[in-house]
Amino acid sequence: LAQALVAVKSRRCVRPTRLAAMGIIESVLGRVVHRLLMPKAVPSWYADKPCLPDAHSDSLLLMGHVGLQVSDLEASRRFYVGALGLVEVRSDGKALEMSAGLSGITLRRSSDAKAWPGHLYVWVRDTKAVLQRVEALGKELGQDFVEDVHDVSADGAADALELRDADGNRFMVNKAPRGYEDGLRRSIRGGEAPEGEMLAVVEAFHLVPPGVSMQVARFYRKFFGAAVTTKGEGWAVHFAPSQAFRQTLCFVDDEEEVISMESAHEICVYVAEEARFKAVFDRCADAGILQGDSAWAAALKAQEFRVSQCFDPESAASALEFETLVRLSSHDDCRLAEPGAVGS
């Protein structure tokens, strides 16, 4: 393991960044260290035919979009669409919705934009192509969007990237496993071929003040009936769109700095069954944390409702001002053809 860690070459940093330290084993080292740390799991996510452990029975269906704030929507479009390779879906001048495989990212303009406190881990077709576009855009605008480049398999391989937009939103970027794109093509509603460079949002990693991660975990477990497990210094909410693809929403306690309890960000969660959709709605309505119209008929018609915060059922108080948009899988914006299709 020590030799594998030494083999990872970082082009930018003299000392590891906090971001790399938090996610380097899972999000950067990929196949090399995965096979040393978890030999029983081979073939790993980077094998020809990805093989994952069985999904937790209570996993949520799909993590749809992640909502971020930016100060300049048009400038951000050049970074996200032009360089990262997301596909623009719609824009109204206040928000920009983009897709990445089955999921996506939504940008909302704010004069006081707050960066996502953590990072998003994503898969792309070609890390080298992404790096070239991001560096070219940075040179044109006089900004440095590249925090670090990690060469795992060979010098100049650019196996993993650490990127940051102009507002401080961070990304860990890997090349998608072989075979994933073929499965994705079969899984998208309507049989459309996946567009764009970015193919998946795999993990959303969110830092919270000490002790808050457990409170947030209790919220998703109690209100959503979600599969929630410990992960490092925090907790992970599990999503299982298929037998060959998993997503996680991680909340991790941060001991090094005080982070505001207020959040200007959101996550979109898809559930497959109307009964589960109704159960989540009822629990949130009873706790008084629904945002907007609190009538069930309106939520069912729209096939969505919004939850304003993560409410800790044990303390009966708000744990984190973090919005969750809950949708049925039959919603028009859900790109998944049917549960279990990806990579099957």
Side-chain angles (χ1 to χ4, degrees), residues 128-189:
K128 283 188 175 181
V130 170
L131 178 60
Q132 290 172 357
R133 289 196 299 269
V134 170
E135 287 182 330
L137 179 63
K139 184 177 181 180
E140 178 184 344
L141 300 180
Q143 300 183 51
D144 191 359
F145 298 118
V146 181
E147 290 200 327
D148 211 342
V149 180
H150 299 270
D151 299 331
V152 179
S153 58
D155 287 343
D159 295 288
L161 313 176
E162 293 181 39
L163 307 179
R164 175 178 177 169
D165 75 0
D167 294 288
N169 296 299
R170 289 184 166 92
F171 297 86
M172 300 290 287
V173 184
N174 275 155
K175 182 176 180 178
R178 288 169 299 196
Y180 174 74
E181 188 174 345
D182 291 336
L184 177 60
R185 185 177 296 109
R186 295 191 298 270
S187 75
I188 293 179
R189 184 181 290 177

Side-chain angles (χ1 to χ4, degrees), residues 170-226:
R170 289 184 166 92
F171 297 86
M172 300 290 287
V173 184
N174 275 155
K175 182 176 180 178
R178 288 169 299 196
Y180 174 74
E181 188 174 345
D182 291 336
L184 177 60
R185 185 177 296 109
R186 295 191 298 270
S187 75
I188 293 179
R189 184 181 290 177
E192 301 174 0
E195 300 179 60
E197 180 70 48
M198 189 181 293
L199 297 177
V201 177
V202 182
E203 180 175 82
F205 187 100
H206 191 296
L207 295 174
V208 294
V212 172
S213 67
M214 181 178 292
Q215 297 174 347
V216 175
R218 288 195 292 256
F219 164 71
Y220 282 104
R221 179 183 292 150
K222 176 69 174 180
F223 284 77
F224 286 75

